[in-house]
Amino acid sequence: MIYRLGELFCGPGGIGWGATNADIGDANYRIVHQWANDYDESTCETYRHNICPNAPETVYHGDIRTFDMSQLAPIDALAFGFPCNDYSVVGEQKGMNGTFGPLYSYGVKALKLFEPMWFLAENVGGLRSANEGKALNKILDELQGAGYTITPHLYKFEDYGIPQARHRLIIVGIRNNINVEFKVPSPAPYAEIDNTCRNAIENPPIPTDAFNNELTKQSSQVVERLKHIKPGQNAFTADLPKELQLNIKGARISQIYKRLDPTKPSYTVTGSGGGGTHIYHWSEPRALTNRERARLQTFPDTYKFIGTKENVRKQIGMAVPCRGAKIIFESILKCFAGIPYEYIEANINE
């Protein structure tokens, strides 16, 4: 079975790459791109360039709230990483009361309209506590109500060989009238992978002329501050001279001017934030380039992001790690193909 995939909130293609590169050793079971939609024009250009260069017209740039989904071609599978802004622990956590919180409902609408055989939905772990847990319950109820047996699980991608501590709630659903049961893939087969950020960034070395590899301009004060911050430390845990300390009242976000620890996976790559949030090299006094950030998200070096430097930073930070998505899609394909694999019990808790 070849599954035609539709994607809402497609981003730059982390999920799309994982889906179209999923390989279980049986060409009869694979996933092909059918269409995708996103509200950001540069993001759509990135997706077109990398995922479907021969069918750019199948990526629709538009706000899902006014987009006519009835014009879209039939699909066998749906993926939607609905916007996480209102559920992120870094944001204001407005949950269902925010601008982005209710956007999951368009995924439900698509499920009812297209009746795909299966779907994958993704959001941040903070969704579990939004609106005192009511948001997640409402979303799960509506996904089930659309006619699907669902398996929500909190994936810790660093356990799957990804060089980044990234925890995401991913819900896989299979239509109720299909006699197939999804099982969460076990991280055990990936235990021996070197998922340190040093290995991801240095092996193989990134050519200086690689796509999206421009350096960020650092002020002399930032350079001096970074020189006093050891690997794994941030601006608040380092022993900084008084003139280099940050005068911030209230929340002290641990990622501010935080240097990577080269012996561990990276901390979570984010898509936005001001000074001090760009992820900092463990030995050089600088922020990572977008290409280095893309390596932490397991995008191949051939993946070209289109847009301004800050827009590309946002695209990379909002994406699902390519290889992480691939692992989950391969597990879905194995379920349908009847191929056994190692699995664990689904769990949405830490």
Side-chain angles (χ1 to χ4, degrees), residues 46 66 120 133 148 261 271 325:
T46 295
T66 55
L120 180 149
Y148 292 82
D261 181 336

Side-chain angles (χ1 to χ4, degrees), residues 107-284:
V108 176
K109 180 180 177 183
L111 291 175
K112 292 178 178 177
L113 179 63
F114 296 103
E115 297 184 339
M117 299 175 71
W118 54 266
F119 74 83
L120 180 149
E122 177 267 347
N123 206 278
V124 292
L127 173 60
R128 296 166 301 155
S129 57
N131 300 100
E132 299 172 329
K134 295 174 185 174
L136 177 57
N137 288 336
K138 179 176 171 61
I139 291 170
L140 297 181
D141 284 348
E142 292 194 30
L143 292 172
Q144 287 176 306
Y148 292 82
T149 300
I150 60 173
T151 306
H153 182 71
L154 185 72
Y155 288 81
K156 298 179 180 180
F157 281 117
E158 66 271 29
D159 292 344
Y160 290 85
I162 307 302
Q164 179 192 171
R166 194 176 187 92
H167 299 175
R168 290 295 182 267
L169 183 68
I170 292 181
I171 306 161
V172 172
I174 297 177
R175 212 168 61 210
N176 287 337
N177 61 356
I178 297 174
N179 187 27
V180 171
E181 183 181 7
F182 175 73
K183 297 285 191 180
V184 175
S186 168
Y190 311 95
E192 299 304 314
I193 292 176
D194 183 347
N195 66 346
T196 62
C197 57
R198 181 201 292 274
N199 185 57
I201 289 172
E202 292 188 345
N203 296 316
I206 298 173
T208 53
D209 61 350
F211 296 134
N212 312 114
N213 202 37
E214 316 93 317
L215 288 167
T216 296
K217 292 182 175 68
Q218 315 279 192
S219 70
S220 57
Q221 186 183 46
V222 167
V223 170
E224 281 304 308
R225 181 178 292 128
L226 289 170
K227 287 179 179 177
H228 287 83
I229 299 175
K230 297 175 182 177
Q233 290 184 337
N234 62 43
F236 305 112
T237 58
D239 185 15
L240 293 177
K242 191 168 180 57
E243 67 273 13
L244 296 176
Q245 292 176 9
L246 298 178
N247 296 315
I248 295 177
K249 294 180 180 178
R252 295 188 168 194
I253 299 173
S254 65
Q255 292 192 3
I256 299 295
Y257 293 111
K258 184 173 182 178
R259 278 189 182 267
L260 294 172
D261 181 336
T263 67
K264 297 178 180 178
S266 163
Y267 54 92
T268 304
V269 177
T270 56
S272 60
T277 61
H278 288 68
I279 301 189
Y280 294 85
H281 198 276
W282 56 89
S283 61
E284 299 174 25

Side-chain angles (χ1 to χ4, degrees), residues 1-3 22-31 333 336-338:
M1 175 76 185
I2 297 173
Y3 302 93
D23 182 0
I24 61 169
D26 184 343
N28 293 316
Y29 288 89
R30 54 193 175 91
I31 304 166
L333 292 177
F336 277 86

